[in-house]
């Protein structure tokens, strides 16, 4: 299996695990702030116990470590707004908003990761917008604030995904995860006192202790749905673009919506327009690999004869 194909399987496995995060976020009774704080803290504690993490940290130059920490701030703000969207709306809306990150990534990645701009990627990203528009029209007015917060979350995904693509090959995945989520934990701790004045709907006691039920769900969220897929996604990014990874992540709403309907009964809160919009978004996800494979075939047909000629010469 080629590295690119392996990366595709890895990112889709990550997306499957991420599909459970919205459900767990809804089931955990903590507000968005302590939920994100505990999620990150548990991951950092787990990584501190792994010797490979310390070896990787020692190999990272201070300036690069600071860059990873800055990305971690964006990760923390993304998760905070993601769970804020879920708390203000529901799991289906919060997960579907992430599809907005696709056109954002198409615009930001060439600039932040220093690679060539692709009109095809932008076109595919824009193609998700009609689906998002239907999703917006398929939610009640009481969930509009959750939709707005989810849009901010999508922008943060595009930012930290593009920056991770630029720097991912310069550090061990365990060490990078520890740096980013450690910085994220400190970020959530720092903004907690300011939230009642900045954005009261998402304020909460960051040090709130979870009960036994929430503790089990938090451990599952942190270890199975955060540590494993976050680290694995960094490995996959070495062999694929941030845009391709983000486009695959658009499958997350499929799992989230299906699980939300099955476990939370959210299908009664949403209209058929919402599901039609989600279907359009997913259609774009499946079209992208087909276009990529056709592009590779055409490229091989063009390059092959030229390489053969060089060998003869």
């Amino acid at each position: 299996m080629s590295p690119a194909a392996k990366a595709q399987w890895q990112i889709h496995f990550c997306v499957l695990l991420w599909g459970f995060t919205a459900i767990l976020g809804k089931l955990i009774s903590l507000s968005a702030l302590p939920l994100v704080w505990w999620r990150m803290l548990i991951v950092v504690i787990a990584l501190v116990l792994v010797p490979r993490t310390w070896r990787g940290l020692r190999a990272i130059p201070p300036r690069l470590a600071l860059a990873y920490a800055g990305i971690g701030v964006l990760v923390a703000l993304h998760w905070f707004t993601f769970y804020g969207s879920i708390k203000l709306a529901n799991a289906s809306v919060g997960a579907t908003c992430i599809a907005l990150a696709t056109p954002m990534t198409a615009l930001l990645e060439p600039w932040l990761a220093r690679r060539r701009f692709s009109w095809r990627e932008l076109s595919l990203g824009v193609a998700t917008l009609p689906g998002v528009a239907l999703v917006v029209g398929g939610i009640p007015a009481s969930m509009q604030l959750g939709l707005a917060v989810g849009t901010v979350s999508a922008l943060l995904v595009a930012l930290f995904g593009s920056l991770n693509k630029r720097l991912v090959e310069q550090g061990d995945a365990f060490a990078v995860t520890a740096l980013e989520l450690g910085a994220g934990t400190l970020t959530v701790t720092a903004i907690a006192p300011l939230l009642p004045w900045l954005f009261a709907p998402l304020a909460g006691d960051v040090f709130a202790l979870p009960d036994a039920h929430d503790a089990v769900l938090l451990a599952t969220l942190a270890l199975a749905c955060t540590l494993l897929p976050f680290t694995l996604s960094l490995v996959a990014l070495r062999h694929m673009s941030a845009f391709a990874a983000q486009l695959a992540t658009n499958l997350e709403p499929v799992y989230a919506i299906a699980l939300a309907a099955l476990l939370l009964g959210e299908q009664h809160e949403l209209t058929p327009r919402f599901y039609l919009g989600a279907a359009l978004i997913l259609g774009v996800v499946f079209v992208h690999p087909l276009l990529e494979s056709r592009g590779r075939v055409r490229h091989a047909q063009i390059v092959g004869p030229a390489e053969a000629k060089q060998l003869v010469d």
Side-chain angles (χ1 to χ4, degrees), residues 67-68 71 74-75 101-115 121 154-170 180 234 237 240-246:
Y68 285 132
I71 295 174
L74 298 177
V75 174
T102 307
M104 295 175 183
T105 303
L107 290 170
L108 290 173
E109 185 186 4
W111 173 47
L112 294 175
R114 296 178 179 175
R115 71 174 183 85
E121 290 184 354
L155 175 60
L156 292 165
V157 167
L159 285 170
F160 83 71
S162 300
L163 290 169
N164 264 336
K165 173 59 182 176
R166 177 175 173 178
L167 301 175
V168 71
E169 295 185 6
Q170 301 181 43
E180 292 189 356
L234 291 175
L237 268 178
M240 65 193 309
S241 69
F243 176 84
Q246 182 53 51

Side-chain angles (χ1 to χ4, degrees), residues 178-236:
L179 278 171
E180 292 189 356
L181 299 195
T185 305
L186 294 176
T187 299
V188 174
T189 305
I191 66 174
L194 305 176
L195 274 181
W197 293 275
L198 295 177
F199 197 61
L202 295 184
D205 179 10
V206 71
F207 302 114
L209 290 174
D211 57 25
H213 176 263
D214 280 349
V216 172
L217 294 178
L218 278 168
T220 303
L221 175 64
L223 301 178
C225 299
T226 304
L227 176 56
L228 175 58
F230 194 91
T231 305
L232 188 59
S233 68
L234 291 175
V235 174

